[in-house]
Amino acid sequence: MKRKLTHRLFLFLITLTTALPTLAQTPGGDFINGDLLPNAPELAARGTYGVGVRTMKLVHKAQVDVLHQTDGKSPLYDRPLTLEIWYPATIPANKPALVAYESVFGRANDPKRPLIPFTFAGRASRDAEPDRSGGAYPLVIVSHGYPGSRLLLTYLTENLASKGYVVVAIDHTESTYSDLAAFHSTLLNRPLDDLFVLNEMAGLSAKTGNTFLAGLLNANNTALIGYSMGGYGVLNVTGAGFSQQAMKLFGQAAGGSNALEPRTLNSLAYKPTLDSRIKAVVAFAPWGMERGVWDAAGLAGLTLPTLFVAGSKDDISGYEKGIKAIYDGAINADRYLLTYVNARHNVAPNPPPAATLQSGALADEYGHYAEPAWNERRINNINQHFVTAFLGIHLKKMEYNKYLDLPETDATGPWTGFKPRTSVGLEMRHAKP
């Protein structure tokens, strides 16, 4: 009898283990990305709106295809983009506000890191009816890292939608886990994708439009959020024209192509693309400064309010000569720099998917999300708090300055909005033009 029970238990454990890759990302039971830990700061809490979510596909026609050059010339192609859109919604009382997101981890171009599908839960309702009681909501466009996906920051995108924003996250073609291609496509297309999506959202939100976005958002009141290569892109969109060194790096990667030239500071085509509809920028661990992507003149072109978020040990974008150097050089912007002391590069994404909690071959995938010295869920709550304060000030004219105008450390006591002993390990810098 004992032997039979042991055998059954063994079979149960095997079944449980093999099912891990498809488990929802809710380790510990009902904890979902973005839920509050007991020590979460004040503004991390969700807002009063229900949250709907929809997927939309767009096509950016006649774009330069730097991946398929012939005799030094790049053909044109129609560039597909998939968007995930979160928005204030009316959720029926009998309909649970839960959604199953489907994603993958791994690398499309690396046989040693095969693509593995997984699902994880979110607190949103798929295709819910928009809540139009708040009028036209501010727009937030979100750009992921390389590689990444439109679902990489759902803890933040859902949270902002619950506070009265329409949030649009882009799957940057040739830069996601599923379709990862050579890096020069990302170098060229990040700012172009961001501007295209802004224009499309403006068009789709017209009150005469025939999509759910008609009258729902105000594209004239927009913020950009970018992580890593997403940060590279949003800074270029908002005034940091690329340097001649960036042109050189791109040309080396792209076989001599000069397709990046219109995004450089000295190009006559660059400044006309700066868009007054964009009011604020959040740049998580923006990449490029250590590679000479910007010089002093390029950084001086940043004039919009900007919140930088960084790890002091970032080994991808760099800190002192990387993210902090961008912050220091943005002399014409009212800017903040939030630093996670001893964190590396992963200061923006969701926690690691449940399947990556297994050991062995998935260690690289776990490391793509996790921070060695920080709890990722805690980082998520802190990001929710500060992004809420920053966007609240600049897109909603809310009196949230007290949450950002802080001493550099909590040496004299906990920061405003934080429980006692919970702002340790953080630094906040603020500089004005």
Side-chain angles (χ1 to χ4, degrees), residues 138-162:
L139 171 65
V140 180
I141 297 173
V142 179
S143 177
H144 61 74
Y146 174 88
S149 87
R150 67 190 190 278
L151 303 176
L152 195 62
L153 280 72
T154 59
Y155 74 91
L156 184 59
T157 55
E158 291 181 354
N159 188 276
L160 290 174
S162 78

Side-chain angles (χ1 to χ4, degrees), residues 411-422:
T412 59
W415 282 350
T416 301
F418 282 74
K419 297 177 175 64
R421 306 173 70 194
T422 64

